[in-house]
């Protein structure tokens, strides 16, 4: 340690928002270069290499072959799959001196596909799985949590190529099993959840989430043990409600009722229910305006913006993340003043389904708005009628209070399926404790997690877009089935630090720690340092990795603190006891299993403890 390039910090870095970021910086593993961009110091690099070694071993175990692509890639392949646009602001784009477009790859499906297309041509060449451990670049909106959401980060990405769908399923299964072994070996807890595929495309996908409260993902588990990312949660189909005795829809005055609470109060004050029950928030169908930012596509030469209204029960909030997942690759945001200006039929605070979607289109064909009972209706041209989507919790036949498209008025007893229709159903609202699981297997409970890996069955998306075909048994050209499989290697390091630390510092699992034994020479006596050196040599001759604190002018207190901060799993203290009694003090990083052993037995003792830790 007297020559190691290391400075431990006494103070927490000001902007460290999670324990792993705080401790990895304080213990001298990483340094911040820019938001979400990190420099690896010697200790950090050792841990990273150890993690990569586990990943490589398990990839080799399933016959995946390692390659290495550039991070800097030309635009064209990403253009062919539309991802140059679909990734939106998340891509770092740049131009070379000849003004040609390049990007720093956020992921590498395109170039893997092209490489196989370049070299392989027959079913006899398949199956093959290739992978790399590579630096990825994403201009994340909000880099945070140290290594956990970086803008430059390290990913293991693997891609399987098979002649048919059965082959894909098998490759997917092997990769998934390898992930389980990798995360077990790395000491990261994980839950496998059903996921949506997002901009990757494809069908079946699962995520590996590390259950951590600092995570940005929320997942749901049912009593059956199955788990879903909330983005992938679907509401079980609702049963139709019999509306034969629901009275006709009517438009009633509800002054100053632009919020749910105000509307509930006005409805109860002015229009009490006949059955004596009070009106509540869940009687209200709230219509929320969003803007969908579509990338350019076959019909549009440029990215385009669409205003959409979502009908949701008044007692639930819209979950923008879940909702957005269903518009992928488009992104969504709350509509702004210009969006509303462009659609005068949207009367802020009083928006209702009658001015939207099927009603508006039907009305404009018929020359008037359906359900209109007054003269203040706004004319909507059929072509520009706003799309109206309804949340999956809204049952057909259910009756609602909803906006009348007129300031100060709402429609009562508006029945979905009788008085109005929607253009489709969406999963729009926040799910909550006790909601039924998608497969009806029981009520859901929720936890936060960090996505450490994801496996996808891509199917034919990339091979079709990029023309990766091979000749099948009959000599016919067929597209190749693909899967892709990512692990966030640097993010996993951050998660391991989250799982394995205490208030004093890091506490690495032995197989990925920067060293296995931390030998501390303490005091001023040369004999102690000589004895420590003898122990270090003996440990090294046994193939054990040692971090040796040989600093002469550093106090024992500082050395102990540093050892706790750095987090090597086994600690041996060579000091006054060694000089006076010939013993060496051995303990675990957490202070447990402390024992004083004769110096000549120390190496064997440590080796035995190491074997026990490695289990
Ligand atoms: P997230 O939803 O967290 O942004 P993602 O689903 O976009 O991640 P993938 O495209 O599935 O990420 O990438 C594969 C893996 O790379 C992820 O499972 C994750 O472990 C890792 N990863 C993704 N983005 C980052 C990032 N910004 N920093 C560190 N690791 C990341
Ligand atoms: Mg993912």
């Amino acid at each position: 340690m007297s020559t190691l390039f290391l400075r431990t910090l006494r103070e927490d870095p000001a902007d460290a928002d999670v324990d792993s970021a705080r401790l990895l910086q304080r213990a001298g593993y990483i340094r911040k270069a820019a938001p979400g961009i990190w420099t690896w110091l010697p200790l950090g690099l050792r841990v990273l290499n150890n993690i990569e070694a586990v990943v490589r071993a398990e990839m080799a175990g399933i016959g995946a072959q390692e390659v290495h692509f550039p991070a800097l890639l030309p635009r064209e392949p990403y253009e062919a799959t539309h991802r140059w646009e679909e990734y939106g602001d998340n891509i770092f784009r740049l131009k070379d001196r000849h003004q040609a477009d390049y990007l720093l790859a956020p992921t590498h499906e395109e170039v893997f596909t092209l490489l196989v297309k370049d070299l392989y041509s027959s079913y006899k060449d398949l199956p093959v799985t290739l992978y790399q451990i590579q630096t990825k670049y994403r201009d994340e909106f909000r880099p945070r949590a140290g290594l956990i959401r970086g803008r430059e980060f390290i990913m293991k990405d693997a891609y399987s190529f098979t002649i048919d769908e059965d082959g894909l399923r098998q490759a997917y299964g092997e990769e998934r099993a390898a992930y389980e072994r990798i995360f077990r070996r790395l000491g990261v807890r994980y839950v496998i959840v059903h996921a949506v595929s997002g901009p990757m495309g494809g069908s079946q996908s699962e995520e590996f989430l590390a259950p951590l409260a600092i995570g940005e993902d929320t997942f749901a588990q049912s009593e059956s043990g199955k788990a879903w990312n909330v983005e992938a949660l679907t509401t079980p189909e609702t049963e139709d409600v019999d509306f034969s005795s629901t009275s006709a829809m009517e438009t009633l005055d509800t002054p100053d009722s632009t919020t749910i609470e105000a509307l509930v109060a006005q409805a109860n004050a002015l229009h009490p229910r006949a059955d004596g029950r009070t009106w509540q928030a869940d009687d209200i169908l709230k219509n929320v305006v969003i803007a969908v930012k579509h990338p350019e596509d076959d019909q549009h030469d440029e990215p385009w913006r669409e205003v959409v209204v979502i009908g949701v029960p008044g007692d639930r909030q819209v979950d923008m993340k879940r909702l957005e997942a269903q518009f992928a690759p488009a992104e969504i945001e709350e509509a702004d003043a210009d969006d509303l200006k462009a659609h005068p039929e949207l009367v802020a605070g009083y928006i209702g389904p009658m001015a939207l979607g099927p009603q508006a289109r039907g009305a404009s064909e018929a020359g008037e708005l359906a359900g209109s009972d007054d003269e203040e209706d706004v004319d909507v041209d059929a072509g520009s009628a706003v799309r109206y989507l309804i949340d999956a919790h809204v049952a057909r036949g259910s009756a609602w209070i909803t906006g009348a498209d007129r300031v100060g008025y709402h429609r009562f007893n508006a029945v979905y399926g009788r008085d109005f229709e929607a253009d489709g159903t969406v999963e729009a609202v926040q799910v909550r404790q006790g909601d039924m699981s998608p497969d009806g297997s029981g009520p859901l409970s929720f936890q936060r997690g960090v996505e450490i890996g994801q496996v996808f069955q891509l199917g034919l998306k990339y091979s079709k877009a990029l023309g990766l075909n091979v000749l099948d048994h009959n000599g016919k050209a067929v597209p190749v089935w693909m899967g892709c499989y990512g692990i966030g290697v640097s993010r996993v390091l951050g998660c391991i630090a989250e799982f394995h630390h205490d208030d004093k510092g890091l506490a690495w699992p032995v197989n990925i720690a920067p060293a296995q034994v931390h030998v501390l020479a303490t005091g001023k006596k040369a004999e102690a340092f000589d004895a420590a050196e003898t122990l270090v040599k003996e440990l090294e001759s046994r193939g054990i990795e040692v971090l040796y604190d040989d600093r002469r002018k550093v106090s024992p207190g500082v050395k102990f603190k540093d050892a706790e901060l750095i987090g090597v799993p086994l600690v041996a203290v060579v000091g006054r006891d060694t000089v006076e009694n010939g013993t060496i003090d051995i303990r675990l990083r957490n202070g447990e299993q402390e024992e004083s052993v004769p110096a000549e037995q120390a190496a064997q003792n440590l080796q035995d403890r190491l074997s026990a830790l490695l289990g």
Side-chain angles (χ1 to χ4, degrees):
M1 281 181 71
S2 61
T3 53
L4 182 63
F5 188 67
L6 170 73
R7 278 290 170 275
T8 54
L9 310 177
R10 224 150 283 260
E11 303 291 324
D12 287 336
D15 56 355
D17 51 354
V18 298
D19 289 342
S20 59
R22 186 168 65 79
L23 293 172
L24 287 168
Q25 289 179 83
R26 275 192 55 200
Y29 285 71
I30 56 172
R31 288 299 285 167
K32 191 174 196 168
I37 305 180
W38 298 92
T39 304
W40 294 91
L41 303 183
L43 288 180
L45 210 46
R46 286 186 74 106
V47 176
L48 183 66
N49 288 338
N50 290 341
I51 295 175
E52 291 185 0
V54 170
V55 172
R56 285 198 170 91
E58 292 297 341
M59 285 296 108
I62 57 168
Q65 301 174 58
E66 186 169 2
V67 297
H68 197 81
F69 277 92
L72 177 64
L73 290 170
R75 167 179 177 154
E76 287 72 24
Y78 289 80
E79 185 77 45
T81 56
H82 297 297
R83 291 211 296 181
W84 176 263
E85 299 84 25
E86 284 175 6
Y87 254 98
D89 291 337
N90 255 19
I91 293 193
F92 281 103
R93 299 175 178 81
L94 60 162
K95 284 192 191 295
D96 71 6
R97 63 171 70 205
H98 306 296
Q99 299 306 308
D101 285 320
Y102 280 79
L103 58 84
L104 294 174
T107 171
H108 280 76
E109 280 73 11
E110 284 78 356
V111 285
F112 271 87
T113 310
L114 289 174
L115 182 68
V116 174
K117 176 182 174 178
D118 194 14
L119 297 175
Y120 273 9
S121 56
S122 159
Y123 73 95
K124 291 181 210 145
D125 299 324
L126 303 177
V128 66
T129 295
L130 303 176
Y131 81 99
Q132 64 176 347
I133 296 180
Q134 231 282 12
T135 309
K136 298 279 194 267
Y137 295 87
R138 295 184 186 176
D139 196 359
E140 300 278 359
F141 179 67
R142 200 164 74 94
R144 65 178 282 275
L147 297 173
I148 289 177
R149 185 168 299 284
R151 296 196 296 163
E152 179 186 280
F153 60 96
I154 297 164
M155 196 201 288
K156 184 284 309 185
D157 45 328
Y159 304 83
S160 67
F161 301 86
T162 53
I163 189 69
D164 55 24
E165 198 172 2
D166 275 349
L168 168 57
R169 282 201 206 99
Q170 184 174 339
Y172 180 92
E174 285 167 6
E175 199 78 30
R176 188 180 186 278
Y179 276 33
E180 298 212 58
R181 289 190 293 272
I182 288 170
F183 294 132
R184 263 205 303 275
R185 284 177 64 174
L186 293 177
V188 213
R189 288 208 301 279
Y190 64 90
V191 178
I192 303 178
V193 308
H194 294 282
V196 289
S197 16
M200 291 304 165
S203 52
Q204 158 93 346
S205 174
E206 288 166 297
E207 284 167 348
F208 288 71
L209 300 185
L212 285 165
I214 57 151
E216 290 181 271
D217 282 284
T218 305
F219 67 97
Q221 273 174 306
S222 84
E223 283 151 9
S224 68
K226 285 194 194 147
W228 295 261
N229 191 312
V230 289
E231 291 171 23
L233 267 188
T234 49
T235 307
E237 212 169 304
T238 52
E239 291 213 3
D240 290 3
V241 177
D242 174 15
F243 56 84
S244 53
S245 53
T246 309
S247 17
M249 179 169 74
E250 51 184 339
T251 303
L252 300 173
D253 62 319
T254 52
D256 302 322
S257 52
T258 55
T259 65
I260 299 291
E261 301 77 61
L263 176 55
V264 168
Q266 291 290 43
N268 283 315
L270 301 174
H271 314 289
R273 290 174 60 96
D275 62 6
R277 165 168 96 63
T278 54
W279 293 114
Q280 284 159 4
D282 62 0
D283 291 313
I284 293 162
L285 183 66
K286 149 172 98 172
N287 295 295
V288 180
V289 191
I290 61 160
V292 182
K293 300 189 291 177
H294 296 275
E296 54 186 76
D297 54 34
D298 295 340
Q299 274 95 52
H300 300 83
D301 301 339
E302 283 185 4
W304 56 288
R305 189 174 176 94
E306 183 196 11
V307 170
V308 175
V309 175
I310 317 283
V312 302
D315 63 332
R316 293 199 183 233
Q317 297 298 319
V318 170
D319 180 335
M320 292 296 270
K321 212 174 157 192
R322 275 188 87 214
L323 186 56
E324 183 168 64
Q326 292 159 84
F327 286 95
E331 292 173 4
I332 65 168
E333 62 188 20
E334 278 172 37
D336 60 25
D338 286 340
D339 294 322
L340 293 178
K341 223 183 273 167
H343 292 277
E345 74 275 26
L346 303 179
V347 183
Y350 299 92
I351 298 170
M354 299 309 163
L356 306 166
Q359 291 68 236
R361 269 171 238 126
S364 80
E365 272 158 31
E368 57 167 322
L369 276 174
S372 73
D373 47 16
D374 55 60
E375 62 292 347
E376 284 193 47
D377 291 335
V378 186
D379 245 341
V380 183
D381 136 40
S384 73
V386 168
R387 247 198 312 158
Y388 184 54
L389 302 173
I390 202 148
D391 180 68
H393 291 87
V394 177
R396 289 190 77 75
S398 55
W400 300 87
I401 301 177
T402 192
D405 312 307
R406 233 176 104 188
V407 173
Y409 288 86
H410 279 86
R411 291 194 159 89
F412 285 61
N413 289 324
V415 171
Y416 175 38
R418 180 188 73 180
D419 303 313
F420 67 93
E421 288 289 346
D423 291 306
T425 306
V426 280
E427 298 288 345
V429 294
Q430 279 170 5
V431 282
R432 55 191 182 201
Q433 207 79 17
D435 278 355
M436 182 51 71
S437 67
D439 59 354
S441 62
L444 296 170
S445 62
F446 296 88
Q447 252 181 290
R448 304 285 280 180
V450 174
E451 181 191 323
I452 47 177
Q454 185 161 14
V455 287
F456 295 88
Q457 294 187 13
L458 293 174
L460 301 173
K461 170 174 169 169
Y462 292 88
S463 45
K464 280 191 170 161
L466 297 163
L468 168 58
N469 298 313
V470 293
L471 298 180
D472 71 6
H473 304 72
N474 307 316
K476 190 171 143 248
V478 293
V480 172
W481 289 81
M482 286 176 59
C484 82
Y485 317 95
I487 290 182
V489 176
S490 49
R491 177 180 282 186
V492 164
L493 194 157
C495 290
I496 296 171
E498 287 293 331
F499 283 123
H500 301 278
H501 74 271
D502 59 21
D503 50 357
K504 297 188 185 113
L506 299 159
W508 297 106
V510 67
N511 58 337
I512 60 151
Q516 294 156 336
V517 179
H518 195 152
V519 175
L520 282 70
T522 63
K524 295 202 173 81
K525 296 244 163 64
E527 294 98 304
F529 284 81
D530 292 343
E533 235 141 88
T534 308
L535 174 61
V536 169
K537 288 219 178 75
E538 188 169 351
L539 290 170
E540 282 177 346
S541 74
R542 293 169 187 242
I544 295 170
E545 292 167 333
V546 185
L547 181 63
Y548 173 32
D549 196 342
D550 60 340
R551 292 176 295 176
R552 292 277 172 165
K553 285 191 177 125
V554 175
S555 76
V558 168
K559 289 186 176 180
F560 293 144
K561 277 215 160 60
D562 278 348
E564 283 169 333
L565 193 55
I566 291 168
V568 170
L570 285 166
V571 178
V573 182
V574 188
R576 195 168 25 162
D577 281 355
T578 321
V579 177
E580 288 174 7
N581 317 322
T583 59
I584 289 178
D585 204 39
I586 295 175
R587 58 173 182 253
L588 297 182
R589 146 65 181 79
N590 62 13
E592 283 170 20
Q593 296 176 26
E594 184 157 6
E595 177 180 18
S596 203
V597 302
E600 58 282 4
Q601 290 170 23
Q604 188 58 46
N605 181 297
L606 285 161
Q607 182 158 33
D608 293 344
R609 283 166 175 258
L610 198 54
S611 312
L613 286 178
L614 285 166

